[in-house]
Amino acid sequence: MSALKLPNGPQTHPWVQMYEWLTNPLEYIEDCAKRYGDIFTLHLGQNFTPQVFISNPQAIQQIFTTDPKQLDSGEPAGVKSPLLGRQSILALEGKPHQRQRKLLTPPLHGERMLAYGELIRKITEQVISQWQIGETFTVLPSMQAISFQVILKAVFGLEDGPRYEKLKELLIAILNPKFPIIRTILLILPSTQQDLGAWSPWGKYLRLRQQIDQLIYAEISDRKAQPDLSRTDILSLMIAARDEAGEPMTDLELRDELMTLLVAGHETTATSLSWALYWIHHLPQVREKLLQELDNLGEQPDPNAIFRLPYLNAVCSETLRLYPVAISGLNRVVKSPLQIGEYNFEPGTVLIPSIYLTHHREDLYPESKQFKPERFLERQFSPYEYLPFGGGNRRCIGMAFALFEMKLVLATVLSHWQMELADSKPVKPVRKPLLFVPAGGVKMVVKGRHLQNQAVRETSFV
């Protein structure tokens, strides 16, 4: 397909576009949307492939509802990860992708999901019990500690011990690089992935991955050697799962899906929780409304009751709208000629639903830069207007689990402590390496124990 037939976009050199995308992506795509509208083309990636960014809800609806035989994601669309592997649900397409979704979905929904409620609450209480009244602390590391333990215990089913501690140490090292921009470049430009020894960036990455794989395969082997039908962790359920032909997942499939759940569910949830706690304490009226709703449930409320709270849901929804954990949905590659709006796309064209730009459309979200949970109480948004977890056949299978964890952690934190921001300056997002985390990690001060009664709470501030 000729570049002349693609939607308009910047005419700057592709290297300039890549530089802007790597260093200043949010402002860059917002500027492009102002200049070229809600469908525009950038030249990015290893070979400066034309990529069409779309934030038009009608066009996104068409992307999400088009038959995967005509438009699909996966490795052919450029979705590759050396950490997740080629058997990851993100990299697969067609029937293999459908098979993995069917096998992975049940453990992350319904009664099985709710069974993890008490575990999530206990982990949260254990982490936040280390906070000291009067001391300034950074929220993000605490939220990372919570989400990490939830993944290792609820998903991997690991108990405290040498393997748990070693895997935790290695995963933290590979997921939290000292120089995020270098890791971003390595992941976006495969030509930079050169193993020049243990001290080279890529060499260090490969050796960390190898050590992680050894531990994961050892855990899978132990589980298979000693099956325990009473276990309810997600790895055990995955090992027991069978497809329509009665076949289980291979060890490689189990490894790749575990890594996908870890990467997709750890840093993302921790980041969203940190943003939520920032906004809740940046806007006193939001905090007060939320505390009233939580207090009405009484002490030690049922996790399912917390999950259904309308204002808590609105706060989480607005958090994920303002700074979605992924600014774009998964790439889609056109497989046969496709018309979207006024554009005709030929096979090989890469289409990208822009989550961030869609969430900041002023026609959908007036004053889109403002944090207003009430938006989600006043109207219902379609899956093509609000899409923090992507959509179509590529919607995140962990969506329900992520929201459940997010709501339960926030409810537990707020019901235990009264806190305030250590600094009144607005917090800005920074890239790390593919997510946008709050700069500085959100510094807060614990003022005291939470007093459940509203009148007592107000008196305590007098």
Side-chain angles (χ1 to χ4, degrees):
M1 182 176 185
S2 167
L4 295 175
K5 296 181 182 178
L6 290 169
N8 288 335
Q11 299 304 302
T12 51
H13 191 280
W15 275 117
V16 175
Q17 295 183 36
M18 271 295 293
Y19 175 79
E20 293 281 6
W21 173 248
L22 286 170
T23 60
N24 199 27
L26 299 183
E27 290 82 356
Y28 186 50
I29 59 173
E30 284 184 312
D31 182 58
C32 288
K34 288 176 184 174
R35 287 171 178 251
Y36 308 109
D38 52 18
I39 302 181
F40 60 85
T41 304
L42 295 178
H43 293 78
L44 304 170
Q46 176 78 5
N47 301 311
F48 303 126
T49 306
Q51 300 185 9
V52 181
F53 283 70
I54 299 173
S55 56
N56 178 294
Q58 290 74 37
I60 289 174
Q61 178 176 9
Q62 199 172 341
I63 290 173
F64 287 171
T65 55
T66 295
D67 191 315
K69 292 178 182 177
Q70 191 176 9
L71 181 72
D72 202 4
S73 187
E75 197 167 310
V79 181
K80 300 176 184 178
S81 169
L83 181 58
L84 306 187
R86 300 185 71 180
Q87 297 303 311
S88 163
I89 193 171
L90 299 181
L92 295 171
E93 62 167 341
K95 288 186 177 179
H97 172 257
Q98 292 173 8
R99 173 184 181 266
Q100 293 300 84
R101 280 193 77 92
K102 286 182 180 178
L103 290 171
L104 290 170
T105 299
L108 294 162
H109 290 77
E111 291 300 319
R112 285 178 173 175
M113 178 192 75
L114 294 173
Y116 303 120
E118 198 52 43
L119 174 63
I120 293 169
R121 182 147 50 194
K122 284 182 179 177
I123 289 170
T124 305
E125 288 174 346
Q126 182 266 322
V127 170
I128 68 175
S129 69
Q130 299 167 33
W131 298 348
Q132 299 294 318
I133 293 174
E135 288 186 6
T136 299
F137 71 102
T138 306
V139 166
L140 183 57
S142 293
M143 297 304 107
Q144 289 171 328
I146 292 168
S147 69
F148 207 76
Q149 287 192 53
V150 169
I151 290 286
L152 289 183
K153 293 181 177 178
V155 176
F156 282 70
L158 288 175
E159 302 295 333
D160 291 337
R163 185 175 290 166
Y164 174 94
E165 291 301 327
K166 187 61 179 175
L167 187 57
K168 180 179 174 182
E169 173 193 329
L170 292 169
L171 287 169
I172 288 173
I174 205 167
L175 294 173
N176 295 279
K178 290 183 179 178
F179 303 103
I181 189 66
I182 293 176
R183 175 67 57 80
T184 304
I185 293 170
L186 287 170
L187 295 177
I188 290 178
L189 301 176
S191 61
T192 63
Q193 296 172 3
Q194 301 293 325
D195 184 359
L196 303 176
W199 294 103
S200 66
W202 191 245
K204 185 176 182 181
Y205 182 86
L206 292 179
R207 284 155 182 79
L208 279 171
R209 188 183 67 181
Q210 183 180 26
Q211 293 179 71
I212 290 168
D213 285 354
Q214 288 173 350
L215 291 170
I216 291 177
Y217 282 124
E219 185 67 24
I220 292 171
S221 177
D222 289 353
R223 298 287 184 88
K224 288 186 171 180
Q226 297 177 311
D228 182 353
L229 298 178
S230 68
R231 295 189 66 131
T232 59
D233 60 89
I234 290 171
L235 172 56
S236 295
L237 296 173
M238 285 164 58
I239 290 173
R242 297 293 182 270
D243 63 17
E244 292 174 352
E247 294 296 320
M249 288 191 210
T250 65
D251 286 3
L252 178 60
E253 287 172 334
L254 288 167
R255 179 264 173 217
D256 287 1
E257 300 303 3
L258 280 171
M259 289 306 301
T260 301
L261 291 173
L262 172 81
V263 172
H266 162 50
E267 197 77 24
T268 52
T269 304
T271 299
S272 296
L273 284 166
S274 301
W275 277 120
L277 286 168
Y278 165 71
W279 287 112
I280 288 166
H281 293 86
H282 182 68
L283 300 169
Q285 70 275 20
V286 171
R287 177 180 174 273
E288 204 56 42
K289 278 187 183 179
L290 199 48
L291 288 174
Q292 285 178 5
E293 186 177 66
L294 289 168
D295 286 354
N296 287 336
L297 293 180
E299 293 185 16
Q300 292 294 313
D302 177 62
N304 202 16
I306 292 172
F307 187 62
R308 293 195 303 263
L309 289 173
Y311 194 69
L312 176 60
N313 183 70
V315 168
C316 292
S317 297
E318 180 70 343
T319 300
L320 293 167
R321 179 199 68 80
L322 199 57
Y323 291 119
V325 291
I327 64 169
S328 299
L330 288 176
N331 296 6
R332 264 71 166 184
V333 65
V334 177
K335 296 186 169 185
S336 59
L338 177 68
Q339 181 175 353
I340 293 182
E342 62 186 276
Y343 298 101
N344 292 299
F345 296 112
E346 293 181 9
T349 309
V350 175
L351 308 181
I352 301 177
S354 179
I355 298 173
Y356 180 83
L357 289 178
T358 305
H359 285 187
H360 286 266
R361 290 180 64 104
E362 286 292 324
D363 58 340
L364 293 176
Y365 305 100
E367 297 181 291
S368 67
K369 301 297 183 188
Q370 303 299 312
F371 188 84
K372 295 183 176 183
E374 287 71 21
R375 302 178 201 275
F376 291 89
L377 300 174
E378 293 165 356
R379 66 165 285 188
Q380 186 83 25
F381 295 95
S382 80
Y384 320 112
E385 298 169 333
Y386 179 69
L387 51 151
F389 295 93
N393 71 325
R394 294 286 167 168
R395 191 173 76 166
C396 175
I397 59 168
M399 179 182 76
F401 188 90
L403 287 171
F404 180 58
E405 180 183 352
M406 191 175 175
K407 292 175 184 180
L408 204 50
V409 172
L410 287 176
T412 304
V413 170
L414 294 170
S415 65
H416 277 73
W417 295 114
Q418 291 183 52
M419 303 187 296
E420 64 181 35
L421 294 171
D423 193 331
S424 60
K425 294 179 182 176
V427 172
K428 302 293 184 182
V430 293
R431 189 171 197 158
K432 182 202 156 186
L434 299 177
L435 300 177
F436 288 85
V437 303
V442 185
K443 296 197 182 319
M444 300 194 75
V445 181
V446 175
K447 304 302 290 183
R449 291 280 176 186
H450 168 66
L451 302 173
Q452 192 174 60
N453 181 275
Q454 169 73 13
V456 174
R457 226 177 32 236
E458 290 176 347
T459 305
S460 68
F461 289 113
V462 176

